[in-house]
C-alpha cells in the first residue's frame, strides 16, 4: 500500500533493509540521528514483524563494537546504522578490527545528497570513501531517486554483491554502504512504505555462490586430491604447528604438536608457548647424550601475534616454514610472514608418515616443563604471601572455565596471560579483538557476543556463561558500553572480570619498562588513574562485586553462581613485579643456553 509522505529515501531504505534480512541479517544496531531516520525506521518495522532483533546505542563507537561482537559470534552480517558526519568517523576502529579479523560488520551510513558537497552544508563531510582502506567492500547509494521495479532490482543485486564479498571465505570482512538520503526523512503516517517486491520465496535477489566456492570447506584439512595449492608434509621429520588467532582445527595436522593462541581451535597435542625458546637450541645435552630439539618443519595457520619467542622460532632460517592459508586478510596477497622466512604458502596440506615417538616425547616434556614453570612461579609452594598480578587472575579465570563457556579476552595482557595459563581449552570458545589488537570496544564486543550466545542455547535451563577478562584501562576505554537502555536486549549471563593494576601493565614487560628507563615511565606508559570502578558500575546500574583474593574470585566464578544479566568483578592487582615474573618463567624454561 502507498504511505502518505513516503518519499524515495524511505522506499530506498526499506528495500535495503528488506534485502539485508533476506541475506540472513538477524541483528542490527542503531544510533540516533535525523539523516538516518529512514534506515532506523525500516529496522524498527522489521523488528515489529519479527524479522530481526534491534539494539540501540547512543555512542557510535560503542555501537560499532557491539555490532562487531554480534557479527563475530553469529558469523552473520550485522549492520550498524549511523547518521552523517563525525558519527561515521567513529566507526573506524571497529571497521579496522572487523576487516583484519574477517568479521562481517556493515557500516550502514546515512549521507546528505551529493549536491550538498562543497556548499558548507551542515553535518556534511566526504564520508563515501571513509573506509576505503579498512573494508572489503564500499559502495555509495543514491537514495534520493524514485525506485521502480528495475532500479529496485539493481539495488538489491548490488547489496547481494556486497554481502557475498563480506562473507567470502577468502578476504571477507567489513563493508560500507553509504546511503544518500533526502527529505522527507519520515512519513506522515507511521506505516512502512510500499516497496517493489523481492523474490517471492524470500531469498536474496541474486544467490551469489561462486565467491564461496573458490575454496571448498575441506581446503584446510586433509584432502587426498592433488591441487596447485596443496603441499605434502612428511611427519616423520620433526614438525611443529603454530596456530595463531582464528586458526581452525585441521584434521590432517591433529597428530602434530601445536603452539596455539587462545583464539585458535584447541589442538589435540598442545605445546605450551613458553616452550618455544627451547626449540631454537639446535642441540641439548640430556641424560642419554645429545638431543636434537630443532624442528625441521613448521606449519603456520591463522595469525600468530602474541609471543615473541614464537615469532622468533618461526623466523629461524634453519626451519622450513609453510604458511597454510585461505585468505582472511584485507588484501589477497596478505599472509603472516613478518620475518620473510616462509618457504611457501598453500591452501591445503597432505600428510604422510607419522611423528616419531622421540619427537613427541621431546615436545611433551618441553610443554610440561613450561606449564610447570608458570604454575611454580605464580604459586610457589614455599610462599603463602603472593602478590596478585594480572597473570594470577588469568590463571584463576582459566581454572574456572567449563565446557560451553565463551571467554572474551582483552587484547593486551589478558590474552597473553590466558595463553600462558594454557588456553585454548576444548569446548571453550575464545574471542579477542586481535585483528588490529586494540583495547577499544572490548566491553561492547563482549556484550554483542553474549547476546548471540544467549540465543544459541534457547532451551537451556540456565543461560550459557560468557566471561570477559580485561584490564582496567581496557574497561575504562569502553565503559560506555555498559550504557544499555531500559528497553534494549541485555545479556543474560555476562561476567566482566577487571584486573585493576591502575595502569598499563603490559609496558612493564616491554622495552619501556626496563629498570634503566623508569624516568617518566609512570606518566607516559604506566598511566595510573583514580577512577572508581564501583561508582561507574553504579552509574550504569550494573551489578558490581569486589574480590579481595584469588579465592574470592574463584568463588564468584563458580559455575553454580547465579548471574542475572551483567555483573562486573573487580580484583586489585600489582604490576610492579610483572617483569620479574616473566624473566623468571623464561629462565626456568631455558635449556642449554637457548634464548
Amino acid at each position: 500500500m502507498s504511505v502518505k509522505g513516503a518519499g524515495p529515501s524511505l522506499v530506498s531504505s526499506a528495500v535495503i533493509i528488506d534485502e539485508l534480512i533476506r541475506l540472513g541479517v538477524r541483528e542490527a544496531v542503531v544510533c540516533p540521528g535525523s539523516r538516518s531516520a529512514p534506515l532506523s525506521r525500516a529496522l524498527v518495522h522489521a523488528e515489529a514483524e519479527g524479522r530481526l532483533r534491534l539494539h540501540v546505542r547512543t555512542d557510535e563507537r560503542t555501537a560499532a563494537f557491539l555490532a562487531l561482537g554480534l557479527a563475530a559470534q553469529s558469523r552473520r552480517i550485522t549492520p550498524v546504522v549511523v547518521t552523517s558526519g563525525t558519527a561515521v568517523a567513529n566507526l573506524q576502529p571497529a571497521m579496522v578490527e572487523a576487516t583484519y579479523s574477517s568479521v562481517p560488520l556493515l557500516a550502514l551510513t546515512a549521507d546528505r545528497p551529493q549536491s550538498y558537497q562543497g556548499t558548507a552544508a551542515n553535518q556534511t563531510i566526504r564520508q563515501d570513501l571513509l573506509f576505503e582502506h579498512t573494508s572489503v567492500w564500499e559502495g555509495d547509494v543514491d537514495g534520493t531517486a524514485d525506485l521502480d521495479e528495475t532500479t529496485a532490482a539493481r539495488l538489491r543485486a548490488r547489496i547481494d554483491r556486497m554481502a557475498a564479498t563480506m562473507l567470502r571465505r577468502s578476504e571477507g570482512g567489513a563493508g560500507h554502504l553509504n546511503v544518500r538520503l533526502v527529505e522527507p526523512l519520515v512519513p506522515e503516517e507511521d506505516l512502512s512504505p510500499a516497496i517493489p517486491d523481492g523474490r517471492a520465496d524470500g531469498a536474496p535477489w541474486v544467490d551469489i555462490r561462486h565467491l564461496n566456492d573458490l575454496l571448498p570447506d575441506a581446503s584446510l584439512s586433509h584432502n587426498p586430491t592433488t591441487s596447485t595449492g596443496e603441499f605434502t608434509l612428511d611427519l616423520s621429520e620433526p614438525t611443529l604447528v603454530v596456530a595463531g588467532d582464528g586458526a581452525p582445527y585441521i584434521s590432517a595436522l591433529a597428530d602434530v604438536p601445536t603452539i596455539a593462541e587462545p583464539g585458535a581451535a584447541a589442538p589435540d597435542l598442545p605445546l605450551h608457548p613458553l616452550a618455544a625458546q627451547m626449540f631454537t637450541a639446535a642441540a641439548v645435552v640430556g641424560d642419554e647424550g645429545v638431543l636434537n630439539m630443532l624442528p625441521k618443519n613448521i606449519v603456520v595457520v591463522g595469525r600468530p601475534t602474541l609471543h615473541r619467542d614464537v615469532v622468533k622460532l618461526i623466523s629461524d632460517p634453519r626451519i622450513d616454514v609453510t604458511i597454510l592459508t585461505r585468505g582472511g586478510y584485507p588484501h589477497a596477497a596478505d599472509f603472516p610472514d613478518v620475518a620473510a622466512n616462509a618457504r611457501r604458502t598453500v591452501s591445503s596440506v597432505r600428510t604422510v608418515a607419522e611423528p616419531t615417538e622421540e619427537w613427541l616425547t621431546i615436545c611433551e616434556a618441553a610443554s610440561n616443563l613450561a606449564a610447570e614453570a608458570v604454575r611454580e612461579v605464580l604459586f610457589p609452594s614455599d610462599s603463602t604471601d603472593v602478590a596478585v598480578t594480572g597473570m594470577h587472575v588469568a590463571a584463576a579465570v582459566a581454572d574456572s572455565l567449563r565446557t560451553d563457556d565463551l571467554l572474551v579476552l582483552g587484547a593486551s595482557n589478558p590474552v597473553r596471560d590466558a595463553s600462558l595459563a594454557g588456553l585454548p581449552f576444548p569446548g571453550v570458545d575464545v574471542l579477542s579483538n586481535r585483528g588490529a589488537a586494540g583495547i577499544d570496544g572490548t566491553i561492547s564486543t563482549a556484550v554483542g557476543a553474549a547476546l548471540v550466545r544467549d540465543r544459541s542455547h534457547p532451551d537451556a535451563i540456565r543461560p550459557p556463561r560468557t566471561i570477559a577478562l580485561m584490564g582496567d584501562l581496557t574497561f575504562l576505554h569502553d565503559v560506555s558500553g555498559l550504557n544499555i537502555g531500559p528497553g534494549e536486549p541485555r545479556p543474560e549471563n555476562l561476567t566482566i572480570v577487571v584486573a585493576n593494576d591502575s595502569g598499563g601493565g603490559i609496558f612493564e614487560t616491554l622495552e619501556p619498562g626496563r629498570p634503566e628507563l623508569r624516568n617518566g615511565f609512570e606518566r607516559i606508559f604506566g598511566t595510573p588513574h583514580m577512577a572508581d570502578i564501583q561508582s561507574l558500575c553504579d552509574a550504569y546500574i550494573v551489578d558490581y562485586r569486589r574480590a579481595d583474593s584469588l579465592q574470592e574470585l574463584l568463588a564468584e566464578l563458580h559455575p553454580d553462581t547465579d548471574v542475572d544479566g551483567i555483573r562486573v568483578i573487580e580484583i586489585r592487582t600489582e604490576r610492579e613485579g610483572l617483569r620479574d615474573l616473566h624473566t623468571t618463567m623464561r629462565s626456568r624454561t631455558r635449556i642449554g643456553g637457548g634464548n
Side-chain angles (χ1 to χ4, degrees):
M1 83 172 119
S2 61
V3 176
K4 189 175 181 181
S9 293
L10 290 157
V11 174
S12 297
S13 296
V15 168
I16 290 170
I17 298 306
D18 179 65
E19 192 66 17
L20 285 173
I21 292 172
R22 291 166 179 263
L23 286 161
V25 168
R26 294 296 179 266
E27 312 268 4
V29 184
V30 161
C31 290
S34 176
R35 186 62 47 172
S36 56
L39 293 165
S40 300
R41 287 183 54 81
L43 286 169
V44 167
H45 285 295
E47 183 183 52
E49 295 167 359
R51 302 180 73 191
L52 54 67
R53 180 169 63 168
L54 189 59
H55 311 265
V56 179
R57 296 293 186 273
T58 57
D59 180 323
E60 286 83 9
R61 186 177 61 83
T62 290
F65 277 104
L66 171 65
L68 176 80
L70 291 164
Q73 190 63 20
S74 67
R75 307 312 301 178
R76 293 175 181 264
I77 290 175
T78 305
V80 54
V81 174
V82 301
T83 192
S84 62
T86 59
V88 181
N90 275 300
L91 306 182
Q92 189 72 271
M95 293 291 283
V96 171
E97 176 60 36
T99 291
Y100 281 84
S101 294
S102 300
V103 173
L105 167 66
L106 173 60
L108 187 51
T109 62
D111 200 354
R112 306 281 164 135
Q114 180 63 40
S115 60
Y116 283 31
Q117 290 293 330
T119 66
N122 180 50
Q123 210 169 310
T124 303
I125 66 172
R126 283 301 308 272
Q127 64 185 52
D128 52 325
L129 296 177
L130 194 59
F131 307 114
E132 182 178 10
H133 301 293
T134 55
S135 66
V136 299
W137 193 95
E138 186 148 21
D140 192 48
V141 171
D142 183 7
T144 68
D146 289 322
L147 287 182
D148 56 25
E149 297 292 337
T150 300
T151 53
R154 289 174 179 167
L155 176 57
R156 290 181 183 275
R158 192 177 185 196
I159 294 168
D160 297 340
R161 290 172 186 266
M162 173 195 74
T165 304
M166 293 173 63
L167 294 170
R168 190 177 181 182
R169 288 197 188 104
S170 177
E171 293 89 49
H176 177 207
L177 190 64
N178 189 61
V179 188
R180 298 184 183 277
L181 301 172
V182 69
E183 292 77 4
L185 299 172
V186 295
E188 295 181 19
E189 302 172 278
D190 191 13
L191 297 170
S192 298
I195 62 175
D197 291 335
R199 296 295 183 192
D201 59 358
W205 193 260
V206 183
D207 186 4
I208 299 176
R209 301 184 182 185
H210 75 281
L211 293 181
N212 282 341
D213 288 343
L214 288 177
L215 292 170
D217 288 334
S219 62
L220 285 184
S221 61
H222 177 72
N223 184 352
T225 305
T226 14
S227 67
T228 55
E230 187 179 68
F231 175 65
T232 300
L233 184 67
D234 185 355
L235 296 187
S236 67
E237 299 174 340
T239 302
L240 296 178
V241 171
V242 172
D245 189 67
Y249 179 83
I250 302 171
S251 58
L253 301 174
D255 296 332
V256 183
T258 300
I259 301 174
E261 294 187 359
D268 291 345
L269 294 178
L271 180 61
H272 197 282
L274 203 57
Q277 64 170 329
M278 303 183 202
F279 291 91
T280 57
V284 175
V285 178
D287 294 338
E288 299 180 1
V290 177
L291 183 66
N292 185 11
M293 291 191 67
L294 185 70
K296 183 174 181 180
N297 303 302
I298 288 182
V299 180
V300 177
V301 194
R303 186 163 169 260
T305 60
L306 291 185
H307 305 289
R308 292 187 177 187
D309 285 326
V310 175
V311 174
K312 185 176 180 180
L313 180 63
I314 300 171
S315 306
D316 194 317
R318 298 171 293 178
I319 301 173
D320 188 299
V321 177
T322 298
I323 310 293
L324 182 56
T325 180
R326 62 179 179 191
Y329 303 99
H331 306 289
D334 285 0
F335 52 88
D337 184 29
V338 175
N341 191 45
R343 184 68 59 88
R344 66 192 65 81
T345 68
V346 300
S347 59
S348 62
V349 62
R350 185 173 72 91
T351 58
V352 296
E354 296 179 355
T356 66
E357 287 299 322
E358 179 187 37
W359 180 245
L360 293 178
T361 300
I362 289 172
C363 293
E364 182 180 15
S367 187
N368 289 340
L369 178 63
E372 290 169 6
V374 172
R375 288 290 168 168
E376 289 172 0
V377 172
L378 290 180
F379 306 105
S381 57
D382 58 350
S383 175
T384 57
D385 185 18
V386 176
V388 176
T389 69
M391 294 181 67
H392 293 85
V393 174
V397 169
D399 286 345
S400 74
L401 295 173
R402 299 294 185 269
T403 300
D404 292 332
D405 284 349
L406 169 64
L407 177 64
V408 180
L409 294 168
S412 189
N413 263 345
V415 67
R416 292 172 171 82
D417 293 342
S419 180
L420 294 175
L423 271 82
F425 296 157
V428 175
D429 291 335
V430 178
L431 174 63
S432 182
N433 290 339
R434 292 298 302 170
I439 66 169
D440 42 348
T442 306
I443 292 176
S444 300
T445 300
V447 169
L451 284 165
V452 173
R453 194 73 167 187
D454 292 342
R455 278 192 159 185
S456 66
H457 297 74
D459 299 326
I461 297 176
R462 302 177 64 185
R465 294 203 309 172
T466 299
I467 299 175
L469 171 62
M470 64 192 71
D472 48 299
L473 295 187
T474 299
F475 179 85
L476 293 173
H477 203 296
D478 191 37
V479 69
S480 62
L482 297 176
N483 184 20
I484 303 174
E488 298 305 312
R490 301 175 72 88
E492 296 179 48
N493 191 346
L494 170 61
T495 295
I496 300 173
V497 179
V498 183
N500 184 359
D501 60 10
S502 185
I506 191 169
F507 296 109
E508 298 282 354
T509 66
L510 301 177
E511 286 82 358
R514 288 179 6 223
E516 62 271 24
L517 299 178
R518 300 299 292 191
N519 184 29
F521 174 87
E522 272 300 287
R523 186 179 183 192
I524 61 176
F525 294 109
T527 57
H529 59 84
M530 296 183 292
D532 185 336
I533 290 178
Q534 180 175 1
S535 295
L536 289 170
C537 291
D538 291 343
Y540 289 113
I541 316 177
V542 170
D543 184 26
Y544 169 88
R545 312 285 176 87
R546 165 98 177 243
D548 291 319
S549 68
L550 292 176
Q551 289 72 26
E552 289 185 14
L553 177 62
L554 285 168
E556 290 285 358
L557 293 176
H558 193 278
D560 292 335
T561 302
D562 287 326
V563 178
D564 184 15
I566 303 174
R567 66 169 175 168
V568 172
I569 303 175
E570 178 187 9
I571 180 168
R572 298 292 176 88
T573 60
E574 301 288 339
R575 55 182 166 88
E576 185 176 346
L578 279 176
R579 191 176 194 85
D580 291 338
L581 279 178
H582 280 269
T583 300
T584 304
M585 287 178 187
R586 294 188 75 250
S587 66
R588 293 194 181 189
T589 55
R590 186 175 295 121
I591 302 176
N595 291 306

